[in-house]
Amino acid sequence: MIGEAGTTPFQKDLRRHLRERDEDRDLTRVICELATASRYVIHSIRTGELGVAGTSNLYGETQLALDVLSDRILQKRMKYSGVVAKIASEEIDEVICVNPDGKYSIVYDPLDGSSLVDVNLAVGTIVGIYEGQEPLSAGNKLVAALYILYGPRCTLVYSTGNGVHEFAMNALMEYTLVQENVQMAPSGTIYSPGGQRNQYTPGVEKFVSYLEEKGSKLRYSGGFVPDINQVLIKGQGLFMYPHLKNAPRGKLRLLYELNPMAFLIEQAGGAASNGRQRILDIEPEGIDHREPIFIGSKEDVARAEKFVAEFG
Ligand code: AFP
């Protein structure tokens, strides 16, 4: 028997979940519009051209790279929501003013890991939500964050500061609740190490040796969203894209990638650091600000900070 909104009676859908928790109506609208946007994004991933922006298909139509297309889909839904003031997208090099009366501003990476689609690996959308008109703010000003993971299943994980909750898309493309209040163990047995090993500093090298000696197993897909999702949903372990000899700031972007994930992981009882300080306390220096990251089980993150402090 199908319950309301296409769900069976015991499957709670995203909108009902948000309403039952008495979330702000405009915030609920933003989150639900992002969920709607993901239906179009996943359709494009599964059926769209894999061409690159600027080329044309056999009909002479200009092809859009999937990340550019995903950005347009998200922009359209955010404008339609009527409650978004400004947007900072990883695909656009300036802040977009949408609605001066909007209550929220958002930062997003519309399709992180897009270069993995043509080898059929999982990719994702990452979103941070601020109250007000300043999307280029420190992560400690975030009021909500979410990601959508386009993998074998399409899942949505969000937090508004009251725990982390996971949903899965059903056959009707509705998100139904999988689990509430995801929690992370203080230490783990998975590690996800980005960056070239021969560029690791002594401190990072010693940290990896420590993890291996305690029995941690390497799990790395090259996609930030699936790699973080594995650590979060398994409830243990650590992802890192550290400072490198040839890239002291690492690779990942503070605003669009690190802050939203740090918000979620901290809400699940984990930690996120650049090796020296809490990610969410870092003041952005610009829209392309990059930082190293150690994120996941809090004892593992603390250990990374010790190795970095002692050995660099
Ligand atoms: P793309 O978005 O260019 O595919 O990069 C993905 C990413 O930003 C992030 O999703 C991964 O964690 C990281 O890069 C992987 O980087 P390496 O390819 O250097 O391991």
Side-chain angles (χ1 to χ4, degrees), residues 189-250:
T189 57
I190 295 170
Y191 75 103
S192 200
Q196 274 185 278
R197 190 76 183 263
N198 62 5
Q199 294 299 327
Y200 281 8
T201 61
V204 176
E205 199 53 70
K206 288 176 186 303
F207 177 54
V208 170
S209 300
Y210 158 80
L211 292 171
E212 292 271 343
E213 280 151 23
K214 76 167 181 154
S216 290
K217 288 183 179 172
L218 191 155
R219 293 286 183 273
Y220 191 76
S221 78
F224 187 47
V225 179
D227 289 341
I228 289 285
N229 184 69
Q230 176 170 215
V231 165
L232 176 64
I233 301 303
K234 285 198 183 294
Q236 53 94 359
L238 169 132
F239 173 93
M240 67 183 198
Y241 205 108
H243 50 294
L244 303 171
K245 292 175 202 164
N246 63 354
R249 283 287 182 98

Side-chain angles (χ1 to χ4, degrees), residues 18 23 27-28 30-31 34 104-107 126-131 139-147 157-163 259-261 263-264 267 280:
L18 288 159
E23 295 295 351
L27 183 56
T28 293
V30 172
I31 293 172
L34 290 164
Y104 294 98
S105 289
I106 66 169
V107 293
I126 310 170
V127 186
I129 304 173
Y130 295 92
E131 197 158 353
N140 54 29
K141 299 283 193 308
L142 284 167
V143 295
L146 66 85
Y147 63 78
V157 172
Y158 91 87
S159 177
T160 56
N162 304 304
N259 277 338
M261 292 306 199
F263 181 91
L264 290 167
Q267 276 294 314
L280 293 180

Side-chain angles (χ1 to χ4, degrees), residues 6-20:
T7 60
T8 47
F10 59 87
Q11 285 182 321
K12 187 178 296 181
D13 74 350
L14 178 61
R15 188 181 300 276
R16 199 161 90 197
H17 173 87
L18 288 159
R19 283 194 176 147
E20 281 180 359

Side-chain angles (χ1 to χ4, degrees), residues 90 109 111-116 194-196 220 222-225 227 239 241 251-253 257:
E90 191 190 71
D109 182 349
L111 199 65
D112 182 85
S114 51
S115 62
L116 300 172
Q196 274 185 278
Y220 191 76
F224 187 47
V225 179
D227 289 341
F239 173 93
Y241 205 108
K251 173 181 182 181
L252 300 181
R253 293 174 182 83
E257 294 163 331

